[in-house]
Amino acid sequence: MTKSYLKSIILIALMLTGCYTREITCVIKGKVIGVTSDTIILNKATDDLRYSSVYIPVKDSSFEYTLKVKHSEPYELIYLNDTRKGGWMPILIFPENGEINCTLYSKKDFNKNEISGTLNQEYKNFQKNLADTFYGQYKPFNDSLMALRTKDDY
């Protein structure tokens, strides 16, 4: 009876330790180029931006923030000035243990943004594969639509 009781306790302990997930601590460091915003909003991509509570100050075109999360999921970096103007382009990041370095540009140079990290690189590769696969099919239709709009004939 004592052996089965001891085995049960060990089994339960092993099951509980298997359910434990380590917290991810991600240090987000970066610099902004060509942007006048003094604050960046960090928002979970699935949350409403109006209720975001993480505001990262930008000083001398640099910023740093330590994010602690239970699991990696997409977050957005958004310039506060852009939200006040009513239009913004969120910069997607995936936190992971360690440090993520970002070089962020204005909306005009959005495609120059650089974000380090394994998950972020995988996302960038996915986006490139998606564009390579479908952009050629999409472009003729989009060009036709733009020509019609230019002529105001749609």
Side-chain angles (χ1 to χ4, degrees):
M1 171 136 168
T2 306
K3 285 185 179 183
S4 71
Y5 181 70
L6 185 59
K7 286 180 184 178
S8 297
I9 290 176
I10 291 172
L11 181 63
I12 290 171
L14 288 173
M15 287 174 43
L16 290 176
T17 57
C19 295
Y20 175 73
T21 57
R22 298 188 71 199
E23 187 175 69
I24 295 172
T25 301
C26 179
V27 178
I28 304 167
K29 290 183 176 182
K31 60 182 177 178
V32 295
I33 299 171
V35 178
T36 58
S37 186
D38 64 347
T39 304
I40 294 176
I41 302 171
L42 176 67
N43 190 57
K44 194 183 293 187
T46 56
D47 287 352
D48 191 328
L49 180 63
R50 295 174 294 176
Y51 307 111
S52 183
S53 61
V54 180
Y55 292 83
I56 305 170
V58 177
K59 294 182 181 163
D60 299 323
S61 298
S62 296
F63 64 93
E64 183 174 333
Y65 182 77
T66 301
L67 176 65
K68 294 185 180 193
V69 294
K70 292 184 180 182
H71 58 274
S72 188
E73 60 184 307
Y75 280 78
E76 300 170 325
L77 295 173
I78 303 167
Y79 299 118
L80 181 61
N81 286 2
D82 288 349
T83 64
R84 291 182 176 154
K85 293 175 188 173
W88 60 90
M89 290 183 69
I91 301 159
L92 214 60
I93 65 165
F94 290 86
E96 53 190 55
N97 268 323
E99 188 174 292
I100 291 179
N101 292 297
C102 308
T103 304
L104 308 179
Y105 293 84
S106 65
K107 284 193 291 187
K108 184 179 86 175
D109 294 322
F110 185 82
N111 290 330
K112 292 183 179 179
N113 289 333
E114 296 176 20
I115 302 167
S116 70
T118 306
L119 293 174
N120 293 303
Q121 189 59 46
E122 286 180 25
Y123 180 69
K124 184 177 180 179
N125 291 341
F126 169 76
Q127 292 290 81
K128 184 181 180 329
N129 288 339
L130 191 66
D132 290 347
T133 302
F134 295 107
Y135 185 71
Q137 298 170 19
Y138 163 78
K139 188 175 179 348
F141 295 108
N142 190 54
D143 290 347
S144 298
L145 181 61
M146 289 297 118
L148 290 171
R149 284 188 177 172
T150 302
K151 295 176 187 175
D152 200 21
D153 189 24
Y154 58 99

